[in-house]
Amino acid sequence: ELPSADVLSRQRYAIVVADWNSEITHALAQGAIDTLLKHGVKEEHIDVMHVPGTVELTYGAALYVNGRKNFGRRKLADAVIVIGCVIQGDTPHFDYVCQSVTQGVTALNAQEGRADGFHLPNTCPVIFSVLTTLDKQQALDRAGGRLGNKGVEGAVTAIKMANLL
């Protein structure tokens, strides 16, 4: 179950999307945006940041998590969705990229914040919506093809995680 549209209309969501494999990542981002809007998030409460590639997703997300990028008047994101696509090739580069972004997102979700001198868990979940596929067709199948759009799943997860507390 998702929160009411009334609750979601007050929340803010950031989407950090890698432009590498843009045919796939932009379709995933659109699926996430459409889902957030469908459930009541206001269009002006969705911020999309583009970064060159999947490795850079962690830095983009960290800008929102740490409050350096916000929605004006210091209103922070309630959740950040990172969207990328890594397709396996003939070199170990695939493994390094996947490991880098996975560890980066995990670290962001585990970091502690500070409020009035008390240590608090990170109050902004980072949702991992990165496809790691063996070939381009597998990615297309998950970006609006026969297996749906994993960006939609990322948005639903973001809504649920932003409303845990």
Side-chain angles (χ1 to χ4, degrees):
E1 257 184 62
L2 297 178
S4 70
D6 181 55
V7 170
L8 293 176
S9 70
R10 296 187 306 267
Q11 293 184 329
R12 290 158 176 78
Y13 292 83
I15 299 171
V16 183
V17 58
D19 286 336
W20 192 261
N21 291 317
S22 62
E23 175 184 7
I24 294 152
T25 60
H26 292 186
L28 294 169
Q30 192 60 56
I33 292 166
D34 292 346
T35 301
L36 292 170
L37 292 171
K38 172 184 163 188
H39 289 288
V41 177
K42 293 180 181 177
E43 187 173 355
E44 61 269 20
H45 292 177
I46 301 170
D47 196 42
V48 179
M49 173 192 289
H50 290 266
V51 297
T54 300
V55 169
E56 292 78 29
L57 290 171
T58 302
Y59 180 79
L63 292 176
Y64 288 102
V65 169
N66 297 320
R68 294 185 63 201
K69 178 88 168 92
N70 56 52
F71 291 84
R73 298 170 122 192
R74 306 294 300 158
K75 294 180 181 171
L76 303 176
D78 291 285
V80 178
I81 305 165
V82 295
I83 295 176
C85 176
V86 188
I87 300 171
Q88 189 170 28
D90 295 329
T91 69
H93 183 71
F94 172 87
D95 298 323
Y96 300 130
V97 171
C98 294
Q99 183 178 25
S100 172
V101 69
T102 302
Q103 289 178 346
V105 169
T106 299
L108 286 173
N109 279 318
Q111 83 178 16
E112 290 186 352
R114 290 183 64 87
D116 298 329
F118 296 98
H119 287 285
L120 300 172
N122 172 13
T123 56
C124 180
V126 181
I127 309 307
F128 188 86
S129 288
V130 178
L131 297 181
T132 57
T133 63
L134 300 176
D135 57 51
K136 186 174 182 180
Q137 188 57 53
Q138 287 182 345
L140 291 168
D141 289 345
R142 290 160 176 78
R146 67 181 185 87
L147 296 176
N149 186 313
K150 298 299 181 181
V152 170
E153 293 177 20
V156 170
T157 300
I159 291 169
K160 289 179 177 181
M161 293 300 293
N163 289 281
L164 281 180
L165 299 175

